[in-house]
Structure formats: structure tokens, C-alpha cells
Amino acid sequence: MAAPLGKLKFGLAFVLVFLVANGLFAQKLREHNAGPGEKMVPAGDGHAVPAQAGPIGQAVVTGNGINYNGGPVLKGNPVPIYIIWYGNWNGTGSNTQATVNLIDTFLGANALGGSGYERINTTYGDTTGNVSGNLQLSKQVFDTGSQGTRLRNSRISAAISAQLTSGALPTDPNGVYLFLTSSNVSESGFCTQFCGFHTSQTLNGADIKWAFIGNVDRCPSGCEIQTTGPNSPAAGVGGADGMVNVITHESEEAITDPDLNAWFDSAGNEDADKCNFKFGPTQTAANGARFNQTFAGHNWMMQMEWENSRGGGCDQTLGGPFFTN
Ligand SMILES: [Zn+2]
């Protein structure tokens, strides 16, 4: 689903209509956390063999507040991540190389991929295996504005497609493409209806999974949990940390529900939607910012994820305690 706004309040019905009309899943509204509908889905013949042995349960486990709807998950180990940095990333504020470096670190080796946090995703699978819990930045490119600064979904599709057809990025149906925009770029619905979204679409002849994540410094009141993050270069420049949070949300969902037909509950909530803008216990960094994860030499403030085991709940690490906020 689209990453819902953190603080702005919009009618859920409107959001759902928007999503259905656009065939994508956007991050949901912060205050909406639908009670998990326990609609049981038959788990195949029960003999699926996980390609990557999950730490808990089998490839398809139901009854934990989220339903399996029959579609595939991404099982790469790691799942390759591709980034298109769109707009002006040599600007001011958080539109800088420092943000590029931070997010590269976050998605690089020995960081988010393989972390106890990402391993929550291993509780999801399909009839041929589990999610590996590992992902890693594979390649990134820069597009300073081939489609202008006022985007809509068709323009994002065109910009991604251009990278595939030119060969600048591989055409990889098993990867996730993150389209990250600088804060001077608008996208229809961004900051007014959602903070990010993911979808799948045939591009260059392949089923490509892509997500839009805008620089949330465009709308800190709606899409940032705090205006100064643990990695902010200056007070009030929280865009990079805010984008990290949305990236976790959309990448989890793009892996567990890549074609929008695998894992979501009866209300349409995917795994990250069920913990949207819920962080669990936090600590305070030297600059006063809150954080709840530490790896790769940084503190991070990232929403929890729904664990599909032990009855289901939001946690910060696989097998850790569940928290409601
Ligand atoms: Zn979502």
C-alpha cells in the first residue's frame, strides 16, 4: 500500500478509492490500523519446501492477522535494489550527496539486508519458498529531470522505462526499483494523500516492481515522524531519515506483496501498513532525535513491521516483543 501520511488526516475511504483507481498500494494513514481480519486462506497442499529456510514456520503460514492471497513473493538472497535518484540531488537542505550516501549505506552490504529487522520479512513466503530477509543495493543512476518536476505515475513509468531500455539499469523482475525524488519535485498525491507507494508494471517486457518515495522534507508535517532525525546534518533537515522510514515501508511490501496479490489482510493492509508510523520503544540521539535501530554505524528511526508468526504483531526485530505503538 502507499505509505500513508504521518500526521495529515485523510479519509480512509478516499485513500482506498485512490489506490484501487491507480492499481497501486500506498502507505496508509497513520491513525488507521484496521483490526486484523482473520480470513483464513488455504495454505496450498502444505508441502511447500522453502527455498530459503525461514526461521519460523513454513513458506505459507496463515492465522497471524494477515492473509495469503496466492501470489508470489520476492525470494532473492539478497533481493536486488535499484535506485533512480530523480531531480536535483546536488542542492541544499537534504537534497544533497549526504542523503545519497546515507541511503546507499542503509541499503548497502551488512546494513538493512540481513538485519534482525529485515528478517521479520522471512515469516512471509509463497508456495515455493520464503522471503530471504536480505536485500542489497545493486545499482543506482541519476536522472536530473527527464520528465520535469511535476510528476504523475505515467511520467515515473517513462523515466524508469528509459533506464531499462538504455541498459543503464538491468531489467530485473526479481528486484525492486526505488524512484527517489528531491523535494522540489511534485508527484500527484505525494504529501497530500500518501508518503510513498509501490506497484508493479510491465516495463521493457518484464514485470517490474517499483516504488515512489519522495523527499519528505517537502511535507515534514505529513510524512516525517520528526523534523530532525538521528542522521540530520542540521536541525530541521530530516528528509534523509524520513525517506529511510518510507523506504523500509515500501521495500518490505514490495517484497512480500510484489504484484499486489500475495500478503495483505481483509482490509487491504499489507505488512508495513499494519505498523504504519508505529515505532515501538525509542532512544534519544546526541542531537535529540529519537531512534529505534542501530546498524551499519548509524542510528535509524524506522517503523516496525508486522511479523507473520506468534499470532502476529508489530516488532522491531524478528522474534522480539510486539508493541502497539
Ligand atoms: Zn504500505
PDB file of all heavy atoms in Angstrom, residues 85 88-102 142 182 215 233 237 240:
ATOM      1  N   TRP A  85      17.733   8.117  -8.641  1.00  0.00           N
ATOM      2  CA  TRP A  85      17.713   9.406  -7.930  1.00  0.00           C
ATOM      3  C   TRP A  85      17.224  10.451  -8.926  1.00  0.00           C
ATOM      4  O   TRP A  85      17.919  10.804  -9.868  1.00  0.00           O
ATOM      5  CB  TRP A  85      19.104   9.763  -7.428  1.00  0.00           C
ATOM      6  CG  TRP A  85      19.640   8.840  -6.370  1.00  0.00           C
ATOM      7  CD1 TRP A  85      20.444   7.746  -6.543  1.00  0.00           C
ATOM      8  CD2 TRP A  85      19.422   8.938  -4.960  1.00  0.00           C
ATOM      9  NE1 TRP A  85      20.726   7.155  -5.335  1.00  0.00           N
ATOM     10  CE2 TRP A  85      20.117   7.870  -4.346  1.00  0.00           C
ATOM     11  CE3 TRP A  85      18.698   9.837  -4.149  1.00  0.00           C
ATOM     12  CZ2 TRP A  85      20.113   7.674  -2.960  1.00  0.00           C
ATOM     13  CZ3 TRP A  85      18.702   9.637  -2.777  1.00  0.00           C
ATOM     14  CH2 TRP A  85      19.402   8.563  -2.196  1.00  0.00           C
ATOM     15  N   ASN A  88      17.043  17.098  -8.386  1.00  0.00           N
ATOM     16  CA  ASN A  88      18.309  17.762  -8.048  1.00  0.00           C
ATOM     17  C   ASN A  88      18.846  17.249  -6.717  1.00  0.00           C
ATOM     18  O   ASN A  88      18.396  17.674  -5.643  1.00  0.00           O
ATOM     19  CB  ASN A  88      18.102  19.279  -7.975  1.00  0.00           C
ATOM     20  CG  ASN A  88      19.386  19.998  -7.590  1.00  0.00           C
ATOM     21  OD1 ASN A  88      20.476  19.413  -7.613  1.00  0.00           O
ATOM     22  ND2 ASN A  88      19.268  21.264  -7.229  1.00  0.00           N
ATOM     23  N   TRP A  89      19.808  16.358  -6.775  1.00  0.00           N
ATOM     24  CA  TRP A  89      20.429  15.826  -5.560  1.00  0.00           C
ATOM     25  C   TRP A  89      21.776  16.492  -5.295  1.00  0.00           C
ATOM     26  O   TRP A  89      22.572  15.985  -4.503  1.00  0.00           O
ATOM     27  CB  TRP A  89      20.528  14.300  -5.634  1.00  0.00           C
ATOM     28  CG  TRP A  89      19.170  13.690  -5.488  1.00  0.00           C
ATOM     29  CD1 TRP A  89      18.356  13.235  -6.492  1.00  0.00           C
ATOM     30  CD2 TRP A  89      18.432  13.525  -4.267  1.00  0.00           C
ATOM     31  NE1 TRP A  89      17.159  12.794  -5.968  1.00  0.00           N
ATOM     32  CE2 TRP A  89      17.176  12.962  -4.612  1.00  0.00           C
ATOM     33  CE3 TRP A  89      18.696  13.813  -2.926  1.00  0.00           C
ATOM     34  CZ2 TRP A  89      16.203  12.674  -3.648  1.00  0.00           C
ATOM     35  CZ3 TRP A  89      17.729  13.519  -1.963  1.00  0.00           C
ATOM     36  CH2 TRP A  89      16.492  12.959  -2.332  1.00  0.00           C
ATOM     37  N   ASN A  90      22.031  17.600  -5.970  1.00  0.00           N
ATOM     38  CA  ASN A  90      23.184  18.437  -5.650  1.00  0.00           C
ATOM     39  C   ASN A  90      22.684  19.795  -5.193  1.00  0.00           C
ATOM     40  O   ASN A  90      23.234  20.837  -5.548  1.00  0.00           O
ATOM     41  CB  ASN A  90      24.109  18.581  -6.858  1.00  0.00           C
ATOM     42  CG  ASN A  90      24.904  17.311  -7.095  1.00  0.00           C
ATOM     43  OD1 ASN A  90      25.580  16.821  -6.188  1.00  0.00           O
ATOM     44  ND2 ASN A  90      24.804  16.754  -8.295  1.00  0.00           N
ATOM     45  N   GLY A  91      21.631  19.776  -4.396  1.00  0.00           N
ATOM     46  CA  GLY A  91      21.014  21.011  -3.946  1.00  0.00           C
ATOM     47  C   GLY A  91      21.352  21.329  -2.505  1.00  0.00           C
ATOM     48  O   GLY A  91      22.464  21.070  -2.036  1.00  0.00           O
ATOM     49  N   THR A  92      20.360  21.863  -1.806  1.00  0.00           N
ATOM     50  CA  THR A  92      20.554  22.280  -0.418  1.00  0.00           C
ATOM     51  C   THR A  92      19.661  21.451   0.494  1.00  0.00           C
ATOM     52  O   THR A  92      18.883  20.609   0.036  1.00  0.00           O
ATOM     53  CB  THR A  92      20.217  23.769  -0.244  1.00  0.00           C
ATOM     54  OG1 THR A  92      18.862  23.972  -0.677  1.00  0.00           O
ATOM     55  CG2 THR A  92      21.137  24.633  -1.103  1.00  0.00           C
ATOM     56  N   GLY A  93      19.758  21.727   1.802  1.00  0.00           N
ATOM     57  CA  GLY A  93      18.938  21.002   2.767  1.00  0.00           C
ATOM     58  C   GLY A  93      19.274  19.524   2.759  1.00  0.00           C
ATOM     59  O   GLY A  93      20.434  19.154   2.969  1.00  0.00           O
ATOM     60  N   SER A  94      18.282  18.697   2.518  1.00  0.00           N
ATOM     61  CA  SER A  94      18.512  17.258   2.447  1.00  0.00           C
ATOM     62  C   SER A  94      18.635  16.759   1.011  1.00  0.00           C
ATOM     63  O   SER A  94      18.747  15.547   0.788  1.00  0.00           O
ATOM     64  CB  SER A  94      17.381  16.512   3.166  1.00  0.00           C
ATOM     65  OG  SER A  94      16.134  16.873   2.619  1.00  0.00           O
ATOM     66  N   ASN A  95      18.610  17.661   0.056  1.00  0.00           N
ATOM     67  CA  ASN A  95      18.754  17.259  -1.353  1.00  0.00           C
ATOM     68  C   ASN A  95      20.231  17.240  -1.747  1.00  0.00           C
ATOM     69  O   ASN A  95      20.662  17.961  -2.656  1.00  0.00           O
ATOM     70  CB  ASN A  95      17.984  18.220  -2.271  1.00  0.00           C
ATOM     71  CG  ASN A  95      16.510  18.241  -1.968  1.00  0.00           C
ATOM     72  OD1 ASN A  95      15.870  17.199  -1.880  1.00  0.00           O
ATOM     73  ND2 ASN A  95      15.962  19.428  -1.793  1.00  0.00           N
ATOM     74  N   THR A  96      20.974  16.437  -1.043  1.00  0.00           N
ATOM     75  CA  THR A  96      22.424  16.505  -1.190  1.00  0.00           C
ATOM     76  C   THR A  96      23.050  15.120  -1.287  1.00  0.00           C
ATOM     77  O   THR A  96      22.397  14.104  -1.046  1.00  0.00           O
ATOM     78  CB  THR A  96      23.057  17.216   0.025  1.00  0.00           C
ATOM     79  OG1 THR A  96      22.795  16.415   1.189  1.00  0.00           O
ATOM     80  CG2 THR A  96      22.497  18.616   0.211  1.00  0.00           C
ATOM     81  N   GLN A  97      24.338  15.141  -1.604  1.00  0.00           N
ATOM     82  CA  GLN A  97      25.098  13.892  -1.665  1.00  0.00           C
ATOM     83  C   GLN A  97      25.113  13.197  -0.309  1.00  0.00           C
ATOM     84  O   GLN A  97      25.207  11.965  -0.243  1.00  0.00           O
ATOM     85  CB  GLN A  97      26.528  14.184  -2.125  1.00  0.00           C
ATOM     86  CG  GLN A  97      27.379  12.950  -2.371  1.00  0.00           C
ATOM     87  CD  GLN A  97      26.876  12.110  -3.530  1.00  0.00           C
ATOM     88  OE1 GLN A  97      26.438  12.648  -4.550  1.00  0.00           O
ATOM     89  NE2 GLN A  97      26.912  10.787  -3.363  1.00  0.00           N
ATOM     90  N   ALA A  98      24.988  13.953   0.775  1.00  0.00           N
ATOM     91  CA  ALA A  98      24.962  13.320   2.096  1.00  0.00           C
ATOM     92  C   ALA A  98      23.765  12.376   2.221  1.00  0.00           C
ATOM     93  O   ALA A  98      23.874  11.291   2.805  1.00  0.00           O
ATOM     94  CB  ALA A  98      24.917  14.395   3.186  1.00  0.00           C
ATOM     95  N   THR A  99      22.630  12.777   1.668  1.00  0.00           N
ATOM     96  CA  THR A  99      21.456  11.899   1.688  1.00  0.00           C
ATOM     97  C   THR A  99      21.695  10.682   0.811  1.00  0.00           C
ATOM     98  O   THR A  99      21.356   9.554   1.190  1.00  0.00           O
ATOM     99  CB  THR A  99      20.210  12.676   1.217  1.00  0.00           C
ATOM    100  OG1 THR A  99      19.898  13.667   2.198  1.00  0.00           O
ATOM    101  CG2 THR A  99      19.014  11.758   1.027  1.00  0.00           C
ATOM    102  N   VAL A 100      22.282  10.905  -0.358  1.00  0.00           N
ATOM    103  CA  VAL A 100      22.613   9.777  -1.242  1.00  0.00           C
ATOM    104  C   VAL A 100      23.520   8.790  -0.506  1.00  0.00           C
ATOM    105  O   VAL A 100      23.273   7.576  -0.495  1.00  0.00           O
ATOM    106  CB  VAL A 100      23.281  10.282  -2.533  1.00  0.00           C
ATOM    107  CG1 VAL A 100      23.768   9.114  -3.392  1.00  0.00           C
ATOM    108  CG2 VAL A 100      22.312  11.168  -3.320  1.00  0.00           C
ATOM    109  N   ASN A 101      24.533   9.311   0.143  1.00  0.00           N
ATOM    110  CA  ASN A 101      25.474   8.437   0.853  1.00  0.00           C
ATOM    111  C   ASN A 101      24.787   7.681   1.985  1.00  0.00           C
ATOM    112  O   ASN A 101      25.057   6.496   2.208  1.00  0.00           O
ATOM    113  CB  ASN A 101      26.637   9.260   1.418  1.00  0.00           C
ATOM    114  CG  ASN A 101      27.511   9.856   0.321  1.00  0.00           C
ATOM    115  OD1 ASN A 101      27.472   9.421  -0.828  1.00  0.00           O
ATOM    116  ND2 ASN A 101      28.287  10.856   0.685  1.00  0.00           N
ATOM    117  N   LEU A 102      23.924   8.389   2.713  1.00  0.00           N
ATOM    118  CA  LEU A 102      23.261   7.751   3.855  1.00  0.00           C
ATOM    119  C   LEU A 102      22.357   6.611   3.389  1.00  0.00           C
ATOM    120  O   LEU A 102      22.376   5.505   3.964  1.00  0.00           O
ATOM    121  CB  LEU A 102      22.443   8.782   4.637  1.00  0.00           C
ATOM    122  CG  LEU A 102      21.795   8.224   5.904  1.00  0.00           C
ATOM    123  CD1 LEU A 102      22.846   7.985   6.989  1.00  0.00           C
ATOM    124  CD2 LEU A 102      20.688   9.142   6.410  1.00  0.00           C
ATOM    125  N   PHE A 142      21.272   8.385 -11.792  1.00  0.00           N
ATOM    126  CA  PHE A 142      20.735   9.720 -11.528  1.00  0.00           C
ATOM    127  C   PHE A 142      20.000  10.210 -12.770  1.00  0.00           C
ATOM    128  O   PHE A 142      20.472  10.023 -13.899  1.00  0.00           O
ATOM    129  CB  PHE A 142      21.858  10.695 -11.158  1.00  0.00           C
ATOM    130  CG  PHE A 142      22.451  10.405  -9.798  1.00  0.00           C
ATOM    131  CD1 PHE A 142      23.408   9.413  -9.646  1.00  0.00           C
ATOM    132  CD2 PHE A 142      22.021  11.111  -8.680  1.00  0.00           C
ATOM    133  CE1 PHE A 142      23.941   9.142  -8.393  1.00  0.00           C
ATOM    134  CE2 PHE A 142      22.556  10.839  -7.428  1.00  0.00           C
ATOM    135  CZ  PHE A 142      23.514   9.849  -7.288  1.00  0.00           C
ATOM    136  N   SER A 182      13.872  14.447  -5.308  1.00  0.00           N
ATOM    137  CA  SER A 182      14.275  15.579  -4.468  1.00  0.00           C
ATOM    138  C   SER A 182      13.042  16.410  -4.113  1.00  0.00           C
ATOM    139  O   SER A 182      11.988  16.303  -4.751  1.00  0.00           O
ATOM    140  CB  SER A 182      15.325  16.423  -5.190  1.00  0.00           C
ATOM    141  OG  SER A 182      14.869  16.833  -6.466  1.00  0.00           O
ATOM    142  N   ASN A 215      11.243  12.967  -1.284  1.00  0.00           N
ATOM    143  CA  ASN A 215      11.941  13.568  -0.146  1.00  0.00           C
ATOM    144  C   ASN A 215      10.886  14.203   0.753  1.00  0.00           C
ATOM    145  O   ASN A 215      10.242  15.192   0.395  1.00  0.00           O
ATOM    146  CB  ASN A 215      12.948  14.618  -0.609  1.00  0.00           C
ATOM    147  CG  ASN A 215      13.777  15.148   0.552  1.00  0.00           C
ATOM    148  OD1 ASN A 215      13.354  15.100   1.710  1.00  0.00           O
ATOM    149  ND2 ASN A 215      14.955  15.660   0.232  1.00  0.00           N
ATOM    150  N   PRO A 233      21.959  16.474   9.057  1.00  0.00           N
ATOM    151  CA  PRO A 233      23.162  17.308   9.047  1.00  0.00           C
ATOM    152  C   PRO A 233      22.968  18.610   9.801  1.00  0.00           C
ATOM    153  O   PRO A 233      23.951  19.254  10.190  1.00  0.00           O
ATOM    154  CB  PRO A 233      23.387  17.569   7.551  1.00  0.00           C
ATOM    155  CG  PRO A 233      22.022  17.460   6.948  1.00  0.00           C
ATOM    156  CD  PRO A 233      21.301  16.414   7.745  1.00  0.00           C
ATOM    157  N   VAL A 237      16.491  19.389   9.172  1.00  0.00           N
ATOM    158  CA  VAL A 237      16.770  18.798   7.858  1.00  0.00           C
ATOM    159  C   VAL A 237      16.631  17.282   8.000  1.00  0.00           C
ATOM    160  O   VAL A 237      17.609  16.542   8.033  1.00  0.00           O
ATOM    161  CB  VAL A 237      18.176  19.183   7.349  1.00  0.00           C
ATOM    162  CG1 VAL A 237      18.389  18.679   5.924  1.00  0.00           C
ATOM    163  CG2 VAL A 237      18.344  20.701   7.382  1.00  0.00           C
ATOM    164  N   ALA A 240      16.372  12.894   4.913  1.00  0.00           N
ATOM    165  CA  ALA A 240      17.021  11.609   4.670  1.00  0.00           C
ATOM    166  C   ALA A 240      16.490  10.539   5.622  1.00  0.00           C
ATOM    167  O   ALA A 240      16.146   9.430   5.199  1.00  0.00           O
ATOM    168  CB  ALA A 240      18.537  11.748   4.815  1.00  0.00           C
TER     169      ALA A 240
END
